Amino acid sequence: MQKQSITAEDYLKSIHELTEYRGYASLIDISKLLGTARQSVYDEINIMLEKHLVRRIERGRYVLTPSGQVDANKFLRKHRIAEILLFRGLSLQWKNLDDQAMGIEHGMTDEIMEKVCQKYGCDRCPHGNPVPDREGNVEQIEDMKMSGAVQGTGYVISRVIFEEHSILEFLNENHIFPGTEIIYTYDGQWSLDGKIVAFPENVSGALRIQMIKRTAETLH
Ligand code: FE2
Ligand code: FE2
């Protein structure tokens, strides 16, 4: 993927996603995710600290402040609507949407976003993440981690909270998307259409699931 120049908005998005994924954003993870030098991340974090957009929870680990989160959400609105446009309007591949949205998200005007929402609806991005409103409010989705699943129960994939490329590649290869139904079998394995899927830890940690109401008496 070719890198565009990294903006403050990109930092907000990365810190938000990493915090959703593992509870905080470290300098090294931000630098890997944005493909930028650690020193640049360090400099930008210092600016964000001064603006009270982030706070340090311990050495090298940061989270967004409430005002940083609102700014991140306003940008995530543009990003997620850009993904909807690229997916629904231009049929770009699902696994590439997060990367490709980087090319157009900064130029998403209110008028463009309104048209996309009118035409395709914009509740969720194609990875299942909620589109914040104009003020930066976002719907809280009631879903759970895969580690909390109960054996012999069916679940639906609710969303991919960390849209990192290798995670999206794995899901795409295994035909697993928001809305896909999977079963946590009595053997403690995940089954998809009768086929066992072994989720690597980085992938299972990035997924959120919702229980399917009907119970799975017929499971083995
Ligand atoms: Fe994304
Ligand atoms: Fe997305």
Side-chain angles (χ1 to χ4, degrees), residues 30-215:
I30 300 168
S31 113
K32 270 194 217 154
L33 196 57
L34 292 175
T36 189
R38 196 106 61 95
Q39 184 61 43
S40 316
V41 179
Y42 183 74
D43 294 344
E44 182 63 29
I45 287 283
N46 277 328
I47 296 170
M48 295 174 87
L49 279 167
E50 271 172 33
K51 291 182 177 170
H52 304 289
L53 294 172
V54 294
R55 68 185 172 83
R56 198 173 79 145
I57 53 167
E58 55 187 271
R59 194 185 155 92
R61 294 180 175 184
Y62 302 86
V63 294
L64 294 170
T65 61
S67 70
Q69 186 64 57
V70 169
D71 284 3
N73 287 349
K74 286 180 181 169
F75 178 60
L76 284 166
R77 176 177 170 79
K78 291 184 183 178
H79 172 77
R80 290 175 180 164
I81 294 177
E83 287 184 341
I84 294 169
L85 173 61
L86 296 176
F87 190 52
R88 300 286 304 279
L90 300 180
S91 307
L92 260 61
Q93 282 194 64
W94 181 83
K95 63 177 183 175
N96 297 332
L97 294 170
D98 186 73
D99 285 345
Q100 289 294 325
M102 285 183 80
I104 62 165
E105 61 201 6
H106 296 285
M108 297 291 283
T109 63
D110 286 344
E111 194 178 346
I112 295 172
M113 289 194 283
E114 206 174 298
K115 292 277 186 214
V116 175
C117 292
Q118 272 171 13
K119 190 155 183 187
Y120 303 116
C122 55
D123 285 353
R124 306 266 195 112
C125 82
H127 310 98
N129 291 306
V131 174
D133 69 15
R134 286 190 189 85
E135 282 75 43
N137 305 305
V138 66
E139 175 201 351
Q140 294 305 312
I141 295 178
E142 282 183 29
D143 49 16
M144 59 185 282
K145 294 182 179 178
M146 290 181 88
S147 56
V150 176
Q151 288 189 359
T153 306
Y155 293 87
V156 62
I157 301 291
S158 159
R159 57 192 168 128
V160 187
I161 57 157
F162 188 41
E163 300 174 8
E164 189 272 328
H165 196 75
S166 67
I167 294 172
L168 297 176
E169 284 267 5
F170 175 90
L171 294 170
N172 197 66
E173 251 170 51
N174 288 280
H175 309 286
I176 299 167
F177 307 103
T180 300
E181 294 188 6
I182 50 171
I183 295 162
Y184 194 47
T185 68
Y186 286 111
D187 303 332
Q189 293 179 310
W190 288 96
S191 157
L192 167 64
D193 287 336
K195 206 181 80 194
I196 297 299
V197 184
F199 287 93
E201 219 175 282
N202 66 326
V203 176
S204 59
L207 293 177
R208 291 293 177 271
I209 54 175
Q210 285 168 326
M211 194 185 287
I212 298 172
K213 292 290 177 234
R214 62 188 138 81
T215 50

